[in-house]
Amino acid sequence: MTLVIDETGDRKKGKKTDYVARQYLGSVGKVDNGIVSVNAYGVYANITFPLIVKIFKPKGTLKESDKYKTKIELASEIITELMESGFNIELVLADSLYGEQRVGQLCRLEATANPEGESSQFIRKVAEYKLSYVVSIRSNHGVWLPAGQSVRANKWCKFERTFSNQKSETRYIREIIYGKKRAITYWEITTDPETMPENSTSFVMTNLQGNLKKILGDLYGLRTWVEYGFRQCKQELGWTDYRFTNFQHIER
């Protein structure tokens, strides 16, 4: 099973609904009054299914019995719960929120200690269970290198991105190498290597090995497809339209 971790937010009026606050909402693409959740979806044989949903509870909305947890902590809890429940997870996909969160926002590649860098709390949890992952990182991702090492980009390679309906489109991929080759690799994937359009270009980090030029684009593409599917699922379940204000009722 491929596991997709993502967060989503929906706009809500007023202040009476539990855990509603002004925060970034993916559904509207800006900061607004609403509720946010961290979600886990499974993908198996082109079938997508929801697994766990955890509501993010902003500090100003906490009740006496609550403990504040970041979205990263909620996602890490989800990984633990699924593994302890016996799920066979072959690959974890997530966006840059989970790939980038780290001390100082930089991957420190120092010659003495920790040569693979300081990974995010979420990546450490994934590594704890020895899971493979592909996560998005920011286009301005930085890496501290030992003296004498540099960053280089390999040549673009063309590949066919195959979708769930078996149709395909041409895409381009190249590896970005920070210093020496390491167990963790970095890749750019785009529809147009000349213009690098923002909405169809991804910068990803992975611990997968092998000939990634042919498979990485399709694997990471599942995350975008599931995000779209989740939007439809919310509409069918009435997540955006519920009238409850009590969290226990909303969660049920």
Side-chain angles (χ1 to χ4, degrees):
M1 177 187 79
T2 296
L3 175 67
V4 180
I5 300 292
D6 199 12
E7 76 285 338
T8 191
D10 289 302
R11 184 183 293 163
K12 293 294 172 190
K13 294 181 179 179
K15 300 180 180 180
K16 294 184 178 180
T17 303
D18 288 344
Y19 307 120
V20 165
R22 285 193 61 80
Q23 53 191 319
Y24 181 80
L25 307 178
S27 60
V28 295
K30 64 178 182 178
V31 173
D32 206 336
N33 203 58
I35 191 168
V36 171
S37 63
V38 178
N39 319 291
Y41 269 69
V43 182
Y44 181 77
N46 279 337
I47 299 173
T48 305
F49 44 93
L51 293 167
I52 297 177
V53 174
K54 288 183 177 286
I55 300 297
F56 171 66
K57 303 174 182 179
K59 289 182 178 179
T61 68
L62 296 178
K63 300 180 181 180
E64 187 175 339
S65 59
D66 289 334
K67 177 183 178 182
Y68 176 73
K69 296 178 182 179
T70 66
K71 296 170 188 175
I72 303 296
E73 289 173 319
L74 295 176
S76 300
E77 286 183 359
I78 286 174
I79 295 289
T80 298
E81 290 178 21
L82 291 174
M83 294 301 295
E84 292 181 350
S85 297
F87 281 89
N88 181 16
I89 300 173
E90 297 178 349
L91 178 66
V92 178
L93 305 177
D95 67 16
S96 61
L97 172 66
Y98 307 98
E100 283 284 3
Q101 185 268 339
R102 53 169 56 87
V103 178
Q105 296 299 320
L106 289 174
C107 181
R108 301 169 185 263
L109 301 182
E110 298 172 349
T112 52
N114 196 18
E116 292 302 337
E118 295 180 7
S119 57
S120 75
Q121 176 185 350
F122 177 73
I123 295 299
R124 290 199 301 272
K125 177 60 66 175
V126 171
E128 179 183 323
Y129 291 105
K130 297 179 171 60
L131 300 176
S132 298
Y133 63 82
V134 181
V135 295
S136 177
I137 53 179
R138 297 186 183 95
S139 60
N140 62 350
H141 179 82
V143 173
W144 287 5
L145 299 172
Q149 294 189 18
S150 60
V151 181
R152 65 187 187 276
N154 284 349
K155 292 182 179 179
W156 287 106
C157 294
K158 186 186 297 186
F159 73 96
E160 292 300 312
R161 165 78 168 94
T162 304
F163 301 94
S164 59
N165 60 4
Q166 300 309 306
K167 292 184 178 181
S168 62
E169 294 181 4
T170 300
R171 296 287 189 271
Y172 300 86
I173 186 171
R174 68 176 177 181
E175 184 177 4
I176 308 297
I177 301 174
Y178 292 89
K180 298 179 180 179
K181 292 278 287 185
R182 303 176 185 276
I184 297 174
T185 57
Y186 303 83
W187 302 79
E188 283 182 320
I189 305 169
T190 187
T191 56
D192 186 344
E194 297 294 330
T195 61
M196 302 280 284
E198 184 177 352
N199 62 352
S200 60
T201 299
S202 299
F203 191 18
V204 301
M205 175 176 70
T206 182
N207 62 350
L208 287 172
Q209 302 298 309
N211 188 1
L212 301 184
K213 294 177 183 177
K214 294 184 177 181
I215 65 172
L216 194 61
D218 280 353
L219 291 176
Y220 186 70
L222 289 173
R223 192 199 70 82
T224 305
W225 183 72
V226 169
E227 186 175 351
Y228 173 79
F230 181 72
R231 199 173 296 127
Q232 311 308 311
C233 184
K234 284 192 303 177
Q235 293 172 359
E236 292 298 322
L237 294 175
W239 181 263
T240 60
D241 299 319
Y242 63 80
R243 294 295 181 265
F244 299 118
T245 58
N246 182 277
F247 173 67
Q248 291 181 329
H249 297 159
I250 298 169
E251 187 177 42
R252 184 177 63 195

